[in-house]
Amino acid sequence: MQSFTRSLPLSGATNFRDLGGYATADGRTVRWRRLFRSDHLASLTPQDAEVLAGLRLSRVIDFRGAAERASLAYALPDVAYHALSIEPTVVQRAKDMAMAGEELTPAIAVELMQDTYRDFVSVNAPQFAALFGHLLASDAPLVFHCTAGKDRTGFAAALILLALGVPRHVVMDDYLLTNGLYQRPAQFAGTAPEAVLGVLWRVQEEFLHAALEAVESDHGGLDRYLERELGVGPAERERLAALYLEPRATPPRG
C-alpha cells in the first residue's frame, strides 16, 4: 500500500498539506492527493514547483484580497488559477483601531477573529459557493489558499471535510495543525505586541467554533447552510463523495 504524508516539505510554503486520509462517519476515507490547502504560493522555489508538478496539481483557488494578490503574485505552469477574493477585514479593523488610538489587546484580537469567521459564513458565502462549484466540476488535483493558509483557507477546509462527512472533532484537529506548521515571515511581523500577533497569526478553536455556531444559529445547521447558501444539496454531496472519497470496500463473497 502506498504511504502518503499530510504535510509536504516545501521551502517556500510552510502550511501546504493534503486533506486526504481522514475517515468519514460512515467509514469511508478522503482520497489522498486530490485536495490540498496551503499558505500563499508566491515564494515557491524551483524545487517546490517540481514537487507540485509531481502531484499533478492542475487547479489553484486563491482567497486572498486584491492587494494581497498584487503584492505577492505568482503563476504556476499548466495550473488553472482562480481568484475568489475575500478581503482581510481583520487587518483593516486593527489598523482602524490604531488610527483611533485604541489599544488592540489579545482579548480584543480574539473577538475580531471570531467576527471575521462569522463573516465567512454570511458575507463570504458566494466565494465558498464558488469553491464548491470548482470542486464539483472534476476531481483534478486542486489547492486552495490565502496568505497564511489558516483562516479563509481553514474555514474552507472545514466546510469541505464536513460536507464529505468527516466528524467535527477531526475537522478541528486538521484546522489546528496550522499552529505546528505555519512559520510567519518577517515581513508579516507588524507593529502590534507579540501577544496580539500570536492571536492574529495563529488559530484557536474559538475562531472556527464561532463560524460553526453561526452556521447553526443563523442558518439552521450545516445541511441547510450547505444547500441554501452554497448550493451543495444531497445530490451535490453525493457527487463530492464520488469524486473525493475512496470507494466503499466490497465485502467478500462467502
PDB file of all heavy atoms in Angstrom, residues 165-197:
ATOM      1  N   GLY A 165     -18.481  14.387   5.235  1.00  0.00           N
ATOM      2  CA  GLY A 165     -18.870  13.509   6.329  1.00  0.00           C
ATOM      3  C   GLY A 165     -17.795  13.222   7.348  1.00  0.00           C
ATOM      4  O   GLY A 165     -17.936  12.312   8.166  1.00  0.00           O
ATOM      5  N   VAL A 166     -16.714  14.005   7.342  1.00  0.00           N
ATOM      6  CA  VAL A 166     -15.664  13.836   8.349  1.00  0.00           C
ATOM      7  C   VAL A 166     -16.172  14.399   9.681  1.00  0.00           C
ATOM      8  O   VAL A 166     -16.738  15.498   9.704  1.00  0.00           O
ATOM      9  CB  VAL A 166     -14.373  14.552   7.915  1.00  0.00           C
ATOM     10  CG1 VAL A 166     -13.306  14.480   8.997  1.00  0.00           C
ATOM     11  CG2 VAL A 166     -13.858  13.953   6.608  1.00  0.00           C
ATOM     12  N   PRO A 167     -16.014  13.694  10.787  1.00  0.00           N
ATOM     13  CA  PRO A 167     -16.526  14.175  12.080  1.00  0.00           C
ATOM     14  C   PRO A 167     -15.917  15.517  12.471  1.00  0.00           C
ATOM     15  O   PRO A 167     -14.767  15.826  12.149  1.00  0.00           O
ATOM     16  CB  PRO A 167     -16.110  13.076  13.058  1.00  0.00           C
ATOM     17  CG  PRO A 167     -15.972  11.856  12.218  1.00  0.00           C
ATOM     18  CD  PRO A 167     -15.446  12.336  10.896  1.00  0.00           C
ATOM     19  N   ARG A 168     -16.692  16.296  13.199  1.00  0.00           N
ATOM     20  CA  ARG A 168     -16.287  17.655  13.539  1.00  0.00           C
ATOM     21  C   ARG A 168     -14.992  17.692  14.354  1.00  0.00           C
ATOM     22  O   ARG A 168     -14.167  18.585  14.149  1.00  0.00           O
ATOM     23  CB  ARG A 168     -17.419  18.353  14.307  1.00  0.00           C
ATOM     24  CG  ARG A 168     -17.117  19.780  14.695  1.00  0.00           C
ATOM     25  CD  ARG A 168     -18.369  20.511  15.096  1.00  0.00           C
ATOM     26  NE  ARG A 168     -18.071  21.768  15.789  1.00  0.00           N
ATOM     27  CZ  ARG A 168     -18.975  22.705  16.052  1.00  0.00           C
ATOM     28  NH1 ARG A 168     -20.231  22.534  15.692  1.00  0.00           N
ATOM     29  NH2 ARG A 168     -18.628  23.803  16.698  1.00  0.00           N
ATOM     30  N   HIS A 169     -14.784  16.741  15.259  1.00  0.00           N
ATOM     31  CA  HIS A 169     -13.565  16.795  16.067  1.00  0.00           C
ATOM     32  C   HIS A 169     -12.328  16.545  15.213  1.00  0.00           C
ATOM     33  O   HIS A 169     -11.254  17.085  15.486  1.00  0.00           O
ATOM     34  CB  HIS A 169     -13.645  15.809  17.236  1.00  0.00           C
ATOM     35  CG  HIS A 169     -13.513  14.363  16.853  1.00  0.00           C
ATOM     36  ND1 HIS A 169     -14.570  13.601  16.396  1.00  0.00           N
ATOM     37  CD2 HIS A 169     -12.427  13.535  16.842  1.00  0.00           C
ATOM     38  CE1 HIS A 169     -14.163  12.376  16.146  1.00  0.00           C
ATOM     39  NE2 HIS A 169     -12.867  12.312  16.394  1.00  0.00           N
ATOM     40  N   VAL A 170     -12.469  15.743  14.165  1.00  0.00           N
ATOM     41  CA  VAL A 170     -11.344  15.508  13.251  1.00  0.00           C
ATOM     42  C   VAL A 170     -11.080  16.760  12.424  1.00  0.00           C
ATOM     43  O   VAL A 170      -9.931  17.126  12.165  1.00  0.00           O
ATOM     44  CB  VAL A 170     -11.634  14.295  12.343  1.00  0.00           C
ATOM     45  CG1 VAL A 170     -10.501  14.086  11.348  1.00  0.00           C
ATOM     46  CG2 VAL A 170     -11.851  13.044  13.175  1.00  0.00           C
ATOM     47  N   VAL A 171     -12.155  17.413  12.002  1.00  0.00           N
ATOM     48  CA  VAL A 171     -12.037  18.672  11.262  1.00  0.00           C
ATOM     49  C   VAL A 171     -11.294  19.706  12.107  1.00  0.00           C
ATOM     50  O   VAL A 171     -10.421  20.430  11.610  1.00  0.00           O
ATOM     51  CB  VAL A 171     -13.430  19.180  10.856  1.00  0.00           C
ATOM     52  CG1 VAL A 171     -13.344  20.579  10.241  1.00  0.00           C
ATOM     53  CG2 VAL A 171     -14.086  18.205   9.886  1.00  0.00           C
ATOM     54  N   MET A 172     -11.620  19.772  13.378  1.00  0.00           N
ATOM     55  CA  MET A 172     -10.943  20.718  14.257  1.00  0.00           C
ATOM     56  C   MET A 172      -9.463  20.371  14.391  1.00  0.00           C
ATOM     57  O   MET A 172      -8.605  21.268  14.400  1.00  0.00           O
ATOM     58  CB  MET A 172     -11.618  20.742  15.626  1.00  0.00           C
ATOM     59  CG  MET A 172     -11.005  21.752  16.608  1.00  0.00           C
ATOM     60  SD  MET A 172     -11.177  23.482  16.063  1.00  0.00           S
ATOM     61  CE  MET A 172     -12.931  23.751  16.397  1.00  0.00           C
ATOM     62  N   ASP A 173      -9.146  19.095  14.486  1.00  0.00           N
ATOM     63  CA  ASP A 173      -7.747  18.691  14.583  1.00  0.00           C
ATOM     64  C   ASP A 173      -6.972  19.137  13.349  1.00  0.00           C
ATOM     65  O   ASP A 173      -5.835  19.623  13.461  1.00  0.00           O
ATOM     66  CB  ASP A 173      -7.632  17.174  14.744  1.00  0.00           C
ATOM     67  CG  ASP A 173      -8.071  16.687  16.119  1.00  0.00           C
ATOM     68  OD1 ASP A 173      -8.152  17.518  17.043  1.00  0.00           O
ATOM     69  OD2 ASP A 173      -8.331  15.475  16.268  1.00  0.00           O
ATOM     70  N   ASP A 174      -7.578  18.981  12.179  1.00  0.00           N
ATOM     71  CA  ASP A 174      -6.912  19.428  10.951  1.00  0.00           C
ATOM     72  C   ASP A 174      -6.710  20.940  10.972  1.00  0.00           C
ATOM     73  O   ASP A 174      -5.631  21.436  10.612  1.00  0.00           O
ATOM     74  CB  ASP A 174      -7.729  19.033   9.723  1.00  0.00           C
ATOM     75  CG  ASP A 174      -7.110  19.567   8.443  1.00  0.00           C
ATOM     76  OD1 ASP A 174      -6.153  18.945   7.948  1.00  0.00           O
ATOM     77  OD2 ASP A 174      -7.547  20.632   7.951  1.00  0.00           O
ATOM     78  N   TYR A 175      -7.727  21.644  11.395  1.00  0.00           N
ATOM     79  CA  TYR A 175      -7.654  23.103  11.477  1.00  0.00           C
ATOM     80  C   TYR A 175      -6.491  23.556  12.362  1.00  0.00           C
ATOM     81  O   TYR A 175      -5.730  24.470  12.007  1.00  0.00           O
ATOM     82  CB  TYR A 175      -8.987  23.614  12.024  1.00  0.00           C
ATOM     83  CG  TYR A 175      -9.041  25.073  12.370  1.00  0.00           C
ATOM     84  CD1 TYR A 175      -9.116  26.040  11.384  1.00  0.00           C
ATOM     85  CD2 TYR A 175      -9.036  25.483  13.710  1.00  0.00           C
ATOM     86  CE1 TYR A 175      -9.181  27.400  11.706  1.00  0.00           C
ATOM     87  CE2 TYR A 175      -9.106  26.825  14.041  1.00  0.00           C
ATOM     88  CZ  TYR A 175      -9.178  27.770  13.041  1.00  0.00           C
ATOM     89  OH  TYR A 175      -9.235  29.106  13.366  1.00  0.00           O
ATOM     90  N   LEU A 176      -6.313  22.898  13.494  1.00  0.00           N
ATOM     91  CA  LEU A 176      -5.288  23.305  14.461  1.00  0.00           C
ATOM     92  C   LEU A 176      -3.874  22.909  14.048  1.00  0.00           C
ATOM     93  O   LEU A 176      -2.905  23.393  14.647  1.00  0.00           O
ATOM     94  CB  LEU A 176      -5.615  22.720  15.836  1.00  0.00           C
ATOM     95  CG  LEU A 176      -6.881  23.265  16.508  1.00  0.00           C
ATOM     96  CD1 LEU A 176      -7.183  22.482  17.778  1.00  0.00           C
ATOM     97  CD2 LEU A 176      -6.755  24.747  16.812  1.00  0.00           C
ATOM     98  N   LEU A 177      -3.729  22.085  13.032  1.00  0.00           N
ATOM     99  CA  LEU A 177      -2.393  21.712  12.571  1.00  0.00           C
ATOM    100  C   LEU A 177      -1.579  22.928  12.143  1.00  0.00           C
ATOM    101  O   LEU A 177      -0.348  22.904  12.184  1.00  0.00           O
ATOM    102  CB  LEU A 177      -2.483  20.732  11.395  1.00  0.00           C
ATOM    103  CG  LEU A 177      -2.863  19.284  11.718  1.00  0.00           C
ATOM    104  CD1 LEU A 177      -2.971  18.477  10.436  1.00  0.00           C
ATOM    105  CD2 LEU A 177      -1.848  18.658  12.660  1.00  0.00           C
ATOM    106  N   THR A 178      -2.250  23.989  11.737  1.00  0.00           N
ATOM    107  CA  THR A 178      -1.551  25.216  11.332  1.00  0.00           C
ATOM    108  C   THR A 178      -0.572  25.677  12.405  1.00  0.00           C
ATOM    109  O   THR A 178       0.525  26.162  12.088  1.00  0.00           O
ATOM    110  CB  THR A 178      -2.571  26.328  11.037  1.00  0.00           C
ATOM    111  OG1 THR A 178      -3.155  26.083   9.746  1.00  0.00           O
ATOM    112  CG2 THR A 178      -1.928  27.704  11.017  1.00  0.00           C
ATOM    113  N   ASN A 179      -0.948  25.557  13.667  1.00  0.00           N
ATOM    114  CA  ASN A 179      -0.101  26.083  14.750  1.00  0.00           C
ATOM    115  C   ASN A 179       1.246  25.378  14.843  1.00  0.00           C
ATOM    116  O   ASN A 179       2.214  25.947  15.354  1.00  0.00           O
ATOM    117  CB  ASN A 179      -0.831  25.995  16.087  1.00  0.00           C
ATOM    118  CG  ASN A 179      -1.969  26.992  16.173  1.00  0.00           C
ATOM    119  OD1 ASN A 179      -1.977  27.998  15.483  1.00  0.00           O
ATOM    120  ND2 ASN A 179      -2.949  26.702  17.022  1.00  0.00           N
ATOM    121  N   GLY A 180       1.330  24.170  14.351  1.00  0.00           N
ATOM    122  CA  GLY A 180       2.595  23.462  14.378  1.00  0.00           C
ATOM    123  C   GLY A 180       3.369  23.531  13.067  1.00  0.00           C
ATOM    124  O   GLY A 180       4.501  23.062  12.998  1.00  0.00           O
ATOM    125  N   LEU A 181       2.745  24.135  12.048  1.00  0.00           N
ATOM    126  CA  LEU A 181       3.359  24.144  10.721  1.00  0.00           C
ATOM    127  C   LEU A 181       3.710  25.534  10.224  1.00  0.00           C
ATOM    128  O   LEU A 181       4.813  25.770   9.736  1.00  0.00           O
ATOM    129  CB  LEU A 181       2.422  23.479   9.703  1.00  0.00           C
ATOM    130  CG  LEU A 181       2.162  21.982   9.882  1.00  0.00           C
ATOM    131  CD1 LEU A 181       1.064  21.517   8.919  1.00  0.00           C
ATOM    132  CD2 LEU A 181       3.434  21.187   9.636  1.00  0.00           C
ATOM    133  N   TYR A 182       2.765  26.467  10.318  1.00  0.00           N
ATOM    134  CA  TYR A 182       2.949  27.763   9.669  1.00  0.00           C
ATOM    135  C   TYR A 182       4.053  28.573  10.339  1.00  0.00           C
ATOM    136  O   TYR A 182       4.081  28.708  11.565  1.00  0.00           O
ATOM    137  CB  TYR A 182       1.649  28.564   9.697  1.00  0.00           C
ATOM    138  CG  TYR A 182       1.795  29.930   9.049  1.00  0.00           C
ATOM    139  CD1 TYR A 182       2.113  30.046   7.705  1.00  0.00           C
ATOM    140  CD2 TYR A 182       1.639  31.093   9.786  1.00  0.00           C
ATOM    141  CE1 TYR A 182       2.270  31.285   7.102  1.00  0.00           C
ATOM    142  CE2 TYR A 182       1.788  32.337   9.202  1.00  0.00           C
ATOM    143  CZ  TYR A 182       2.100  32.427   7.860  1.00  0.00           C
ATOM    144  OH  TYR A 182       2.264  33.656   7.281  1.00  0.00           O
ATOM    145  N   GLN A 183       4.935  29.107   9.527  1.00  0.00           N
ATOM    146  CA  GLN A 183       6.023  29.966  10.003  1.00  0.00           C
ATOM    147  C   GLN A 183       5.813  31.369   9.445  1.00  0.00           C
ATOM    148  O   GLN A 183       5.877  31.577   8.238  1.00  0.00           O
ATOM    149  CB  GLN A 183       7.378  29.402   9.563  1.00  0.00           C
ATOM    150  CG  GLN A 183       7.669  28.020  10.130  1.00  0.00           C
ATOM    151  CD  GLN A 183       8.953  27.429   9.591  1.00  0.00           C
ATOM    152  OE1 GLN A 183       9.854  28.147   9.163  1.00  0.00           O
ATOM    153  NE2 GLN A 183       9.049  26.106   9.600  1.00  0.00           N
ATOM    154  N   ARG A 184       5.536  32.296  10.327  1.00  0.00           N
ATOM    155  CA  ARG A 184       5.230  33.666   9.911  1.00  0.00           C
ATOM    156  C   ARG A 184       6.471  34.348   9.356  1.00  0.00           C
ATOM    157  O   ARG A 184       7.489  34.451  10.059  1.00  0.00           O
ATOM    158  CB  ARG A 184       4.690  34.453  11.110  1.00  0.00           C
ATOM    159  CG  ARG A 184       4.194  35.836  10.792  1.00  0.00           C
ATOM    160  CD  ARG A 184       3.659  36.482  12.054  1.00  0.00           C
ATOM    161  NE  ARG A 184       4.710  36.957  12.928  1.00  0.00           N
ATOM    162  CZ  ARG A 184       4.663  36.936  14.251  1.00  0.00           C
ATOM    163  NH1 ARG A 184       3.628  36.425  14.873  1.00  0.00           N
ATOM    164  NH2 ARG A 184       5.669  37.402  14.960  1.00  0.00           N
ATOM    165  N   PRO A 185       6.431  34.829   8.113  1.00  0.00           N
ATOM    166  CA  PRO A 185       7.591  35.531   7.547  1.00  0.00           C
ATOM    167  C   PRO A 185       7.850  36.842   8.262  1.00  0.00           C
ATOM    168  O   PRO A 185       6.944  37.442   8.863  1.00  0.00           O
ATOM    169  CB  PRO A 185       7.185  35.779   6.090  1.00  0.00           C
ATOM    170  CG  PRO A 185       6.089  34.796   5.818  1.00  0.00           C
ATOM    171  CD  PRO A 185       5.369  34.642   7.122  1.00  0.00           C
ATOM    172  N   ALA A 186       9.080  37.301   8.193  1.00  0.00           N
ATOM    173  CA  ALA A 186       9.475  38.527   8.889  1.00  0.00           C
ATOM    174  C   ALA A 186       8.673  39.726   8.415  1.00  0.00           C
ATOM    175  O   ALA A 186       8.342  40.612   9.210  1.00  0.00           O
ATOM    176  CB  ALA A 186      10.969  38.773   8.691  1.00  0.00           C
ATOM    177  N   GLN A 187       8.310  39.762   7.116  1.00  0.00           N
ATOM    178  CA  GLN A 187       7.599  40.943   6.612  1.00  0.00           C
ATOM    179  C   GLN A 187       6.176  41.036   7.153  1.00  0.00           C
ATOM    180  O   GLN A 187       5.514  42.045   6.999  1.00  0.00           O
ATOM    181  CB  GLN A 187       7.566  40.964   5.084  1.00  0.00           C
ATOM    182  CG  GLN A 187       6.733  39.869   4.435  1.00  0.00           C
ATOM    183  CD  GLN A 187       7.570  38.682   4.019  1.00  0.00           C
ATOM    184  OE1 GLN A 187       8.560  38.368   4.677  1.00  0.00           O
ATOM    185  NE2 GLN A 187       7.200  38.034   2.919  1.00  0.00           N
ATOM    186  N   PHE A 188       5.680  39.968   7.778  1.00  0.00           N
ATOM    187  CA  PHE A 188       4.351  39.980   8.368  1.00  0.00           C
ATOM    188  C   PHE A 188       4.391  40.230   9.872  1.00  0.00           C
ATOM    189  O   PHE A 188       3.407  40.019  10.573  1.00  0.00           O
ATOM    190  CB  PHE A 188       3.624  38.653   8.104  1.00  0.00           C
ATOM    191  CG  PHE A 188       3.333  38.399   6.659  1.00  0.00           C
ATOM    192  CD1 PHE A 188       3.248  37.101   6.178  1.00  0.00           C
ATOM    193  CD2 PHE A 188       3.141  39.443   5.769  1.00  0.00           C
ATOM    194  CE1 PHE A 188       2.982  36.847   4.841  1.00  0.00           C
ATOM    195  CE2 PHE A 188       2.874  39.203   4.425  1.00  0.00           C
ATOM    196  CZ  PHE A 188       2.796  37.906   3.965  1.00  0.00           C
ATOM    197  N   ALA A 189       5.518  40.680  10.381  1.00  0.00           N
ATOM    198  CA  ALA A 189       5.649  40.852  11.828  1.00  0.00           C
ATOM    199  C   ALA A 189       4.709  41.932  12.352  1.00  0.00           C
ATOM    200  O   ALA A 189       4.051  41.763  13.373  1.00  0.00           O
ATOM    201  CB  ALA A 189       7.095  41.198  12.175  1.00  0.00           C
ATOM    202  N   GLY A 190       4.646  43.080  11.681  1.00  0.00           N
ATOM    203  CA  GLY A 190       3.767  44.144  12.125  1.00  0.00           C
ATOM    204  C   GLY A 190       4.319  44.876  13.329  1.00  0.00           C
ATOM    205  O   GLY A 190       5.410  44.583  13.827  1.00  0.00           O
ATOM    206  N   THR A 191       3.555  45.833  13.814  1.00  0.00           N
ATOM    207  CA  THR A 191       3.996  46.662  14.940  1.00  0.00           C
ATOM    208  C   THR A 191       3.229  46.364  16.220  1.00  0.00           C
ATOM    209  O   THR A 191       3.512  46.969  17.254  1.00  0.00           O
ATOM    210  CB  THR A 191       3.829  48.146  14.589  1.00  0.00           C
ATOM    211  OG1 THR A 191       2.451  48.395  14.265  1.00  0.00           O
ATOM    212  CG2 THR A 191       4.692  48.522  13.388  1.00  0.00           C
ATOM    213  N   ALA A 192       2.274  45.460  16.167  1.00  0.00           N
ATOM    214  CA  ALA A 192       1.488  45.126  17.357  1.00  0.00           C
ATOM    215  C   ALA A 192       2.336  44.313  18.326  1.00  0.00           C
ATOM    216  O   ALA A 192       3.341  43.698  17.954  1.00  0.00           O
ATOM    217  CB  ALA A 192       0.242  44.335  16.956  1.00  0.00           C
ATOM    218  N   PRO A 193       1.959  44.300  19.610  1.00  0.00           N
ATOM    219  CA  PRO A 193       2.674  43.462  20.584  1.00  0.00           C
ATOM    220  C   PRO A 193       2.645  41.996  20.160  1.00  0.00           C
ATOM    221  O   PRO A 193       1.687  41.534  19.521  1.00  0.00           O
ATOM    222  CB  PRO A 193       1.894  43.696  21.876  1.00  0.00           C
ATOM    223  CG  PRO A 193       1.193  44.999  21.685  1.00  0.00           C
ATOM    224  CD  PRO A 193       0.878  45.087  20.225  1.00  0.00           C
ATOM    225  N   GLU A 194       3.663  41.270  20.559  1.00  0.00           N
ATOM    226  CA  GLU A 194       3.759  39.870  20.159  1.00  0.00           C
ATOM    227  C   GLU A 194       2.574  39.049  20.670  1.00  0.00           C
ATOM    228  O   GLU A 194       2.136  38.105  19.994  1.00  0.00           O
ATOM    229  CB  GLU A 194       5.063  39.262  20.669  1.00  0.00           C
ATOM    230  CG  GLU A 194       5.314  37.830  20.194  1.00  0.00           C
ATOM    231  CD  GLU A 194       5.330  37.695  18.683  1.00  0.00           C
ATOM    232  OE1 GLU A 194       5.837  38.619  18.001  1.00  0.00           O
ATOM    233  OE2 GLU A 194       4.834  36.667  18.181  1.00  0.00           O
ATOM    234  N   ALA A 195       2.038  39.410  21.836  1.00  0.00           N
ATOM    235  CA  ALA A 195       0.874  38.687  22.353  1.00  0.00           C
ATOM    236  C   ALA A 195      -0.322  38.830  21.421  1.00  0.00           C
ATOM    237  O   ALA A 195      -1.120  37.900  21.260  1.00  0.00           O
ATOM    238  CB  ALA A 195       0.518  39.195  23.750  1.00  0.00           C
ATOM    239  N   VAL A 196      -0.460  39.997  20.794  1.00  0.00           N
ATOM    240  CA  VAL A 196      -1.545  40.218  19.828  1.00  0.00           C
ATOM    241  C   VAL A 196      -1.247  39.481  18.527  1.00  0.00           C
ATOM    242  O   VAL A 196      -2.127  38.839  17.943  1.00  0.00           O
ATOM    243  CB  VAL A 196      -1.734  41.725  19.577  1.00  0.00           C
ATOM    244  CG1 VAL A 196      -2.713  41.957  18.419  1.00  0.00           C
ATOM    245  CG2 VAL A 196      -2.235  42.406  20.839  1.00  0.00           C
ATOM    246  N   LEU A 197      -0.001  39.571  18.070  1.00  0.00           N
ATOM    247  CA  LEU A 197       0.377  38.866  16.850  1.00  0.00           C
ATOM    248  C   LEU A 197       0.192  37.365  17.008  1.00  0.00           C
ATOM    249  O   LEU A 197      -0.160  36.663  16.050  1.00  0.00           O
ATOM    250  CB  LEU A 197       1.831  39.181  16.494  1.00  0.00           C
ATOM    251  CG  LEU A 197       2.136  40.624  16.103  1.00  0.00           C
ATOM    252  CD1 LEU A 197       3.628  40.811  15.896  1.00  0.00           C
ATOM    253  CD2 LEU A 197       1.365  41.020  14.845  1.00  0.00           C
TER     254      LEU A 197
END
